[in-house]
Structures are given as structure tokens and as C-alpha cells.
Amino acid sequence: MKNQVCIVTGANSGIGEETALSLAKLGATVILLCRNYERGNITLKNIISESNNKNVELMLCDLSSQNSIFDFTSKFKNKYDRLNVLINNAGILLNKRTISVDGIENTFAINHLGPFILTNSLLNLLKSSSPSRIINVSSSAHYRTNFDIDNLQGEKKYSSFDAYCKSKLYNVLFTYELSRKLAGSNVTVNCLHPGFIPTNLFANSLFFYKAIVKILSPILIDAKSGSKTSTYLATSKDVENITGKYFVKCKPRKSSKISYDKSTSKNLWNISEKLINYNKSAEGRI
């Protein structure tokens, strides 16, 4: 992975931290994309120390804010002339319905729309750096919901867990639609279920944290184990030409039936584009 530039979102803890550490140990230049400077800086120091790799950098971005995303991508492209791996790892599960600074429901904003904007804003750089890879961390939770075009952001009926499940379905739909748009570009995009890990994902929902630990304790794994599929998709030669797939334990698996519906993925893409405030981007449309 030497001379490879990688971005890992949500890299200050859990799966993101372990994935970033693995890439750093392989010699990659790794950008830890985090919202909080203090926590991110602690992780930065730990990864540099453990990997003996000084080419690790902390950069800040709040995925709930479109302005913050555009600000980051502008700074990144001014500093780096290539991007080989983008891992959209950050995710959140909230106690209640809250709204972002852009007027978007926060689970939708952070888990789907933020990665959607980030990826598209970096797409030209990924193409010019090809072969390159995009990895979206989804979840098997996507099997537990459906696509309701009239309630994408919980406008009519809201459940914290269903909002999370829907966002993970959106990750899969986004992956498949993007893979079709990138056909022939030498940029691959895949998604994955990392396993059941009691990480900071549940930091904002103590109820869900306790429930997950109690119900799933026989199959819970640690963050290091949970990062294996992300790292595999980012580095393995076995998948260098594989795109548009859903992986579990480093193996392709069948995702939910609705996730393969092309009209649904196109609808989600078009709706997502309409929610972007292009006035906040110095570069205009992504």
C-alpha cells in the first residue's frame, strides 16, 4: 500500500480506527477523517506510534454539514493530487429525530447523504488515480426495512432503529447505482456488513447499546475483527476488479431483494442530488 492515499471516515474509534491502523501498517498514507479534533488527535498519535508510519494525518469534517464536506474536499484536493481508497465508514444511531444545519434528518444526513456528497466530490480525483476503490460500510440491518419514498427521512413516522436500518439500505442502493455509473472507469465500489460490534455507533443511544449487547452477545465481535472486511476490500488483489457487490466476512453475499431494484436506486440518487445545496460548493455541481 505504499504510495497509496486512503481516506477513512469516522476513524477516531471502533472499526474506523482499526481499519486506518491496518492501512497505516501496510505503508499507506492515511487520512483520518473525523468530526472531533481532540478524539481524532489521540487516535492519530496512537496509529502513528503503533504503525511506525508518519504518513498519517487528521483532517476534520462533520458529515451532517454540507458546508463542512465541501470545505474538506477543497482542502484535500489542494493538498493531495491522488486518492486511491475511500472508505465511508462513519455511521450513527440516534435516540430521537433531529435535524442537521441543512434541514436534513441527521441519520439520513450522516449515514447516507454525507457519504454521497463526499464520494461524488472526490470522484474525479478517484478516477484520475485509478485503479482506485470505494468501500461503503453498510450493515445486515438493511434487511430489516424497506424503501418508502414518502418517508425517507422519517417525516411521517419515525423510529430510531428503522432510520438506521433505512440508512444502511441506502448505503447498498448507493453502492450499486454508483457501480453502474462507474462502469469502465477502473474505479470499483463495494459495500459490506462488518459484523455485530458494540462500538461508538451506539454512543448516542444507551438503550440500543444495552439491547444489542444482551441480544447479540453470542455473536458479538471486537472492532479489530470487524475491520477485516473493510481492509480486505481496500487492499486485496482478489477484489481488484470486483465492483457492485455486498460482502460479509470477506465474501460476496446476497443483499436484500429491494437493494437490487434499479428504479429504487435511481430514485434515491435523484432525490439525494436534489437535497444538495450547491451554493455551498466553491466548485458548483459535483
Side-chain angles (χ1 to χ4, degrees), residues 19 38-39 55-57 60 70-71 108 126 141-142 145 158 170 200 216 227 237 252 259 261 284:
T19 303
E38 286 75 19
R39 285 183 290 178
N55 295 318
V56 183
E57 180 179 1
L60 301 181
F70 286 129
D71 183 54
F108 184 92
L126 284 157
H142 87 274
T145 192
Y158 185 81
Y170 303 155
N200 282 352
L216 300 177
S227 71
K237 291 184 178 181
S259 69
D261 188 85

Side-chain angles (χ1 to χ4, degrees), residues 169-210:
L169 172 60
Y170 303 155
N171 293 159
V172 183
L173 288 165
F174 170 53
T175 298
Y176 293 169
E177 185 63 20
L178 182 58
S179 71
R180 287 187 282 269
K181 292 180 180 295
L182 289 173
S185 68
N186 213 16
V187 179
T188 63
V189 53
N190 293 291
C191 57
L192 66 114
H193 167 58
F196 296 105
I197 306 130
T199 67
N200 282 352
L201 165 68
F202 303 100
N204 293 286
S205 182
L206 185 59
F207 170 79
F208 278 113
Y209 180 85
K210 289 181 177 179

